[in-house]
Structure formats: structure tokens, C-alpha cells
Amino acid sequence: MKKTVLSLGLLLAASFVSADNIRPESSVEYRQSAFRLMEFQLNVLNPMHRSQAYSEEAFAYRADTLSRLGALAHEGFTEESRNIDSRALSRVWDSREDFDQRMQTFIEITANMAEASKAGNNRETRDLFRQTLQSCRSCHDQYRLD
Amino acid sequence: MKKTVLSLGLLLAASFVSADNIRPESSVEYRQSAFRLMEFQLNVLNPMHRSQAYSEEAFAYRADTLSRLGALAHEGFTEESRNIDSRALSRVWDSREDFDQRMQTFIEITANMAEASKAGNNRETRDLFRQTLQSCRSCHDQYRLD
């Protein structure tokens, strides 16, 4: 259910990000802003993961926020911003389908993590948290300048 | 209902933003990132407002995103960041209660706007959109350096 809503959101979002709405330089700032906010959500989730506080409401709130910010980060990778200097490798645009799939997977894992946390499924939440970190790492390895 | 969820989120959020999680300089970047993302949501909403596309799903999505980002922007105004250079006037911390109330009002107006849009109440959505712009403006007038 949640997954559907988010995918729809993303779909709608994608159709609105165009040169009319956002300059190439701005879309770099836009995705960087989203990633900065995402980093903080992870900084909150990390110690909760260490203390296994998976069913706290704050865990679900941060996981859900992470998922929604992921959708915003994704829409910042506009075609027009391809040649603007940033840490994003040109591979993002060369392997567009794979990149989009990875972003979508991140959005879904984190949305599912929020649901699992709300449902009190600690084991599932922990597994999804590990998948979240793995999702970040593998995408950075492929698509981000070190 | 939505209002309750958001207020709870904010409450939980507030309890997690502390020197342990976020350095003063980072909390300035954090709120600036949130405001940058908010600005874009408004850039998408504005032409939809002009064409009265209040009941489009994208309208509700952007309104909801705006509300959630408002909660993130709010938590970036940490006590510790008071003396870090930014456009925020010291009045933010001197009139803390009024400032918090205004941010909370913004979060609620935009959440209600998302609900009104989803319910297809065009007139209510339009009124809430005007209240949203007014809420931005009046808070900037009071608390932001020109």
C-alpha cells in the first residue's frame, strides 16, 4: 500500500521536474539538499539500530522521512544537470535504467522499513535497516565520485 | 488525524535533535537544505494554483511534502546554532514560543492543504494555499534577514 503511494508520488514528481521548474545548477543543489537531510535521518537511526529500538515511533518516522527524501533526491538527477560539476559520475546518465532502479529500491526498502517498524516487527526492521545501508553503499560505489 | 501524526513526528524529532546528533554548523545547513527543497515544492505548486489544478494528485503530493519538510526545517533551529552566521535573526531564539507556533502553523496548514486537495475540495485547497504563502511571508518578515 505504502509502496504504491510512494511510486505514484515519484512518477508524478518526475513529470514535474523539467527545465521549466528547475535550472540544472539548482537541481544539483536540490539533490544535494535531499542527501544532506537523508544523512541526518541515518545519524538518528544508527544509534537506535545499535540499541535495537526498532519499534520506537521515532524509528518509523525517520525511516519514512528517509524514503520520502529519497524520492526528492532522485528527481534532482535531471537530464539537464548531467554536465554540471558534482560528485555524480556520468555513469548515472549512461546507465540510467540501473540507476533509477537502485533509487527506486532504496525508496521501497526504507518505506517497508517504516512499515515494519510501525508493525513492531523488530527482526524485519533490522534486516531492512541493513539492506538500507547496503543500498546506500552499493549505489555510492557505482555512481558517486570518492 | 494527519495533524496528530505530524505533531507527534515533530515532537519526536525535537527530542532527537541535540548536540549528539548534529553540530551547530550542520543544523544551519540542515534547515537551509530543508528550505531549499521547500522552495521547489512551492515552485511546482504555484503554476498549479494559477491553473486551479487543486485536485491533481501532484498537488496533494507537493503539499504533503512541503509539510514534512517544514518539520525538518523547524528542527534545524537548534539552541546551539543561535550564534552561527545565517539569515535567521536572533529574534528566533528570543521569541522562541512565537516562532515555534508559526512553524507549527505552517506544518498544519500545508498538511490540511494536502488533505483538502485529496478530498477534491478546490475552494478550501485554494484558501489554504493562500494561507501557506501568507505563513511563509509573515514568518520571513519577522525572523529572516532581508
Side-chain angles (χ1 to χ4, degrees), chain A residues 102-114:
Chain A
R102 282 167 189 262
M103 289 298 291
Q104 193 54 43
T105 300
F106 174 85
I107 292 163
E108 285 169 16
I109 290 171
T110 44
N112 291 343
M113 177 165 72

Side-chain angles (χ1 to χ4, degrees), chain A residues 8 57 62 64 68 75, chain B residues 8 57 62 64 68 75:
Chain A
L8 177 63
E57 283 179 270
R62 294 299 172 180
D64 188 45
R68 286 163 172 266
E75 67 181 0
Chain B
L8 177 64
E57 283 178 90
R62 295 299 172 180
D64 188 45
R68 287 166 171 264
E75 67 181 359

Side-chain angles (χ1 to χ4, degrees), chain A residues 40-49 51 53 56-62, chain B residues 8-23 30 75-76 78 80:
Chain A
F40 176 73
Q41 311 311 309
L42 280 166
N43 287 347
V44 176
L45 286 170
N46 248 320
M48 299 184 82
H49 163 62
S51 65
E56 292 211 9
E57 283 179 270
F59 196 101
Y61 173 73
R62 294 299 172 180
Chain B
L8 177 64
L10 190 65
L11 189 70
L12 290 165
S15 69
F16 272 94
V17 175
S18 71
D20 292 340
N21 286 315
I22 193 164
R23 295 191 317 278
Y30 185 80
E75 67 181 359
T78 56
E80 295 79 10

